[in-house]
Amino acid sequence: MSAPSLAGFIMKRPWLKRWMIPISKWYADAAGYRKLGLRVDDLIPEESETVMLALKRLPPKEAYDRVFRLRRAFQCSLSHQLLPKDQQTKPEEDYLYLTPIIKQIEQESRERGDLDSMVVNKKKEKPQNH
C-alpha cells in the first residue's frame, strides 16, 4: 500500500516545507474530490486485503459516512454536477481516517512475518553434577 514518498524529506527542511505547503493546498483543491464531498482517504482503492481489513476496523459511524460520501459523489458524477459550496468538504474536514489504520495493519503484518520467520534455538543445558 505504501508508496515512496518525499514527505519526510520535505518536512525536515523548513524552507522547503514553506515553499511546498501552498502548492500542496492548491493541488488538493484542484484535484476536485472535495467538490464532490469526498475526503482524501475515500480515494484509496478497495482492492487490497489490507484496505479491506482496514475498512472492517473502521468505527460504524465512520464506515457509514464513507459509504454516504461515496454514493453522493457517484450521484454527482452521474449528473455532471458539483455539490453546493456548503456541502463540499472543507480543508479542515479533509483528514486521514483510513490511512492510520492501514499503516497499523501493515506494521502488524511485518511484525507477524518477522515472528513467523524467527528461529528459536534452545539452550543446551549443562549436565548437573550430584
Side-chain angles (χ1 to χ4, degrees), residues 93-108:
E93 296 171 348
D94 189 14
Y95 59 88
L96 302 174
Y97 66 94
L98 191 59
T99 301
I101 299 171
I102 292 172
K103 288 181 180 179
Q104 179 186 12
I105 292 170
E106 288 175 342
Q107 180 183 6
E108 290 170 4

Side-chain angles (χ1 to χ4, degrees), residues 1-89:
M1 172 66 212
S2 297
S5 174
L6 292 175
F9 178 80
I10 293 170
M11 297 305 277
K12 289 179 184 175
R13 289 153 181 85
W15 63 272
L16 190 54
K17 180 180 172 183
R18 280 193 308 271
W19 190 70
M20 292 300 289
I21 285 179
I23 294 171
S24 67
K25 287 180 180 178
W26 171 83
Y27 180 79
D29 190 50
Y33 64 88
R34 290 180 181 163
K35 294 176 182 170
L36 295 173
L38 296 173
R39 293 184 186 162
V40 69
D41 277 355
D42 293 336
L43 306 176
I44 298 174
E46 298 178 8
E47 284 106 27
S48 80
E49 291 290 326
T50 306
V51 176
M52 294 300 288
L53 185 57
L55 290 172
K56 289 178 185 174
R57 290 187 185 183
L58 276 177
K61 170 113 173 70
E62 193 68 58
Y64 176 83
D65 290 347
R66 174 186 167 85
V67 171
F68 176 78
R69 288 190 302 270
L70 291 171
R71 287 183 180 178
R72 183 174 57 177
F74 184 69
Q75 287 295 325
C76 288
S77 179
L78 286 176
S79 63
H80 299 285
Q81 294 179 352
L82 298 176
L83 288 174
K85 283 275 190 195
D86 62 326
Q87 294 180 13
Q88 293 179 5
T89 304

